[in-house]
Amino acid sequence: MSLLTAAGLSKWFGNNDIFRGLSFAIPYHARIGLVGANGVGKTTLMRILLGLEDASEGDVRVTRGATLGYLPQRPILDSNRTVWQECLSAFDDLVALQEQMQTLEQAMAKHGADHDELLETYGRLQARFEHRGGYTYETRVRQALAGLGFGAADYARPLEIASGGQRTRVYLARLLLSDPDLLLLDEPTNHLDIAAIEWL
């Protein structure tokens, strides 16, 4: 089963054909490199696949429920968060779940652990939290940041004062941590050193 299929995609601007009649399918877990000279339409094709731009002809179908992630050539990351906070935002749902569990822990401490309804609710939340990687998400953030060249001393750095390259790497880290079903990277190695490229 394909994650994404494209049928008869064409794109033109006036009399200028960017591409015409592209049909293909992207299966789950595929790794595909799109190679070509500047200006042949690689970025335009990606934007069409993501629904950010319309094709002149043809259509794109994405499997229902599939999530897409995109790293543009020049990502804009205007944020008043720190490096760590920005990456942690990929797990906002888990953080919220953890806060609910902590609230229940306080309630159980106050009312006694024999309160069946509280214990049952806590058990459901804990099972969901564990199933979704709640006990490992902070480790995953550290691994992604280390792989992209950030040390522990960088975690508290405000993104407002980070360089463009650092912001791009944080954007990429957050994107990888969000774990989309289909990840489209437009020239992702522009701001990476050899070690980070190998890690990626």
Side-chain angles (χ1 to χ4, degrees):
M1 181 175 160
S2 296
L3 177 59
L4 180 148
T5 56
L9 288 184
S10 298
K11 183 68 176 182
W12 58 77
F13 297 101
N15 293 325
N16 185 19
D17 280 357
I18 306 300
F19 48 79
R20 188 173 287 275
L22 298 181
S23 296
F24 55 88
I26 299 176
Y28 280 88
H29 308 297
R31 293 183 182 190
I32 299 169
L34 185 59
V35 181
N38 288 340
V40 297
K42 300 184 300 293
T43 296
T44 300
L45 177 58
M46 283 192 186
R47 290 179 55 80
I48 290 171
L49 297 180
L50 290 157
L52 300 174
E53 195 169 322
D54 293 328
S56 301
E57 282 182 349
D59 62 70
V60 175
R61 297 185 189 278
V62 179
T63 299
R64 182 175 300 183
T67 55
L68 307 181
Y70 177 50
L71 178 73
Q73 281 187 38
R74 295 175 189 84
I76 298 172
L77 182 56
D78 290 325
S79 173
N80 57 6
R81 297 172 172 162
T82 64
V83 167
W84 178 263
Q85 290 167 337
E86 189 63 35
C87 289
L88 202 62
S89 70
F91 300 105
D92 280 347
D93 56 336
L94 282 174
V95 172
L97 203 54
Q98 193 170 33
E99 288 170 355
Q100 289 177 11
M101 289 168 57
Q102 289 168 347
T103 300
L104 280 175
E105 287 166 5
Q106 292 168 1
M108 287 189 295
K110 183 177 180 181
H111 299 293
D114 59 343
H115 199 293
D116 290 344
E117 188 178 331
L118 288 176
L119 277 173
E120 186 178 323
T121 303
Y122 185 83
R124 281 197 310 270
L125 289 178
Q126 188 177 39
R128 192 183 330 158
F129 184 73
E130 184 174 1
H131 177 71
R132 292 163 68 180
Y135 295 109
T136 61
Y137 73 90
E138 289 190 358
T139 299
R140 289 172 59 197
V141 172
R142 282 190 285 273
Q143 289 171 339
L145 287 173
L148 293 170
F150 292 98
D154 299 312
Y155 294 174
R157 176 180 295 148
L159 284 169
E160 294 170 325
I161 63 170
S163 70
Q166 290 169 329
R167 289 183 192 202
T168 297
R169 288 185 286 132
V170 170
Y171 192 109
L172 177 57
R174 187 189 65 196
L175 192 57
L176 293 169
L177 291 164
S178 69
D179 197 23
D181 297 305
L182 178 61
L183 181 58
L184 297 171
L185 305 174
D186 195 346
E187 299 191 22
T189 60
N190 283 351
H191 298 283
L192 303 181
D193 60 17
I194 296 299
I197 290 170
E198 288 176 354
W199 175 84
L200 179 61

